Amino acid sequence: MILDKSLALFAEKGFRSVTMKEICEVCSLSRGGLYGHYDSAEQIFLEILKQLPARKHSAMQKRMAQQDAAPDILDEFVETTLQNIEQNQASLFLAICEFFSDPAQKHRLALMETMLNQGREACISLIRYGQQRGEFRQVDAEGLWLLFMSGSLGFEAVSRHGILKLEDARRAAKSLRSLLVV
């Protein structure tokens, strides 16, 4: 409950603007109740960040274990990303950028690297799964992951400003799919 409600607050206000007092209010907890679990808003945000890759990719891993069609899994993953852009959860992206951009906190970069590697592993495992099933072309999985990751991050960064529209992201996703799916 604390992490889910805090996630929404960070998405709305950014990382730097959220206080423990606000987290107490949205969670209906006393300060002592919250501090019994977490020492700071940073600690709560760290816990959220550690769970994000698992939340995003557990459904993908489950579907591969069930032997679902790789294009269907890809479509669900891409649609979730597009919905995040559409629902303007790009603000959580901005909170993440704020969190990792503080030059005095270089120790945070290890977490960023871990998160990127988890996303990379999930994406590449889906591509290889689809290749083994004959549903995806034999492409450079690492290169395609880089293309998807940089594209989705770019869309998340600029979508809230109206520079690129959701239909642009859908067109890019359709092009990416056509490169991959047989």
Side-chain angles (χ1 to χ4, degrees):
M1 174 192 79
I2 294 172
L3 296 179
D4 289 337
K5 291 189 176 194
S6 297
L7 186 145
L9 190 59
F10 285 117
E12 178 187 332
K13 298 187 74 170
F15 169 70
R16 293 184 183 129
S17 299
V18 174
T19 66
M20 288 294 274
K21 182 180 181 210
E22 291 170 314
I23 294 171
C24 287
E25 290 171 5
V26 299
C27 294
S28 302
L29 290 172
S30 68
R31 293 194 110 164
L34 182 59
Y35 280 100
H37 297 280
Y38 299 99
D39 296 329
S40 65
E42 178 180 353
Q43 186 183 21
I44 293 170
F45 197 68
L46 274 168
E47 194 63 34
I48 290 168
L49 291 179
K50 289 176 184 175
Q51 292 181 9
L52 276 179
R55 283 183 176 190
K56 286 185 173 186
H57 303 297
S58 64
M60 182 190 305
Q61 298 296 336
K62 181 180 176 184
R63 291 195 62 193
M64 285 189 286
Q66 295 171 343
Q67 297 294 306
D68 288 352
D72 293 344
I73 300 169
L74 174 68
D75 291 344
E76 181 181 327
F77 180 73
V78 168
E79 188 57 35
T80 299
T81 302
L82 293 172
Q83 285 173 1
N84 288 345
I85 292 170
E86 183 177 37
Q87 295 167 0
N88 219 2
Q89 288 185 359
S91 53
L92 183 60
F93 170 78
L94 295 176
I96 291 169
C97 288
E98 284 179 345
F99 181 78
F100 287 119
S101 68
D102 186 345
Q105 305 293 329
K106 290 189 187 261
H107 67 279
R108 294 176 180 169
L109 295 179
L111 175 60
M112 179 192 290
E113 186 176 358
T114 299
M115 291 173 64
L116 283 172
N117 283 335
Q118 289 172 336
R120 176 189 166 278
E121 288 171 15
C123 189
I124 289 174
S125 69
L126 173 61
I127 292 170
R128 291 194 177 128
Y129 170 79
Q131 289 171 335
Q132 290 169 352
R133 292 172 52 93
E135 297 168 329
F136 289 169
R137 289 183 176 81
Q138 295 300 316
V139 297
D140 173 11
E142 180 86 22
L144 206 54
W145 169 77
L146 287 167
L147 183 62
F148 178 78
M149 187 262 314
S150 60
S152 64
L153 290 176
F155 275 107
E156 287 184 44
V158 299
S159 66
R160 70 184 308 217
H161 301 291
I163 296 168
L164 292 172
K165 306 287 186 228
L166 182 63
E167 52 269 16
D168 297 321
R170 287 196 184 284
R171 194 172 95 225
K174 185 177 178 182
S175 295
L176 186 65
R177 188 183 197 283
S178 71
L179 294 172
L180 189 57
V181 177
V182 175

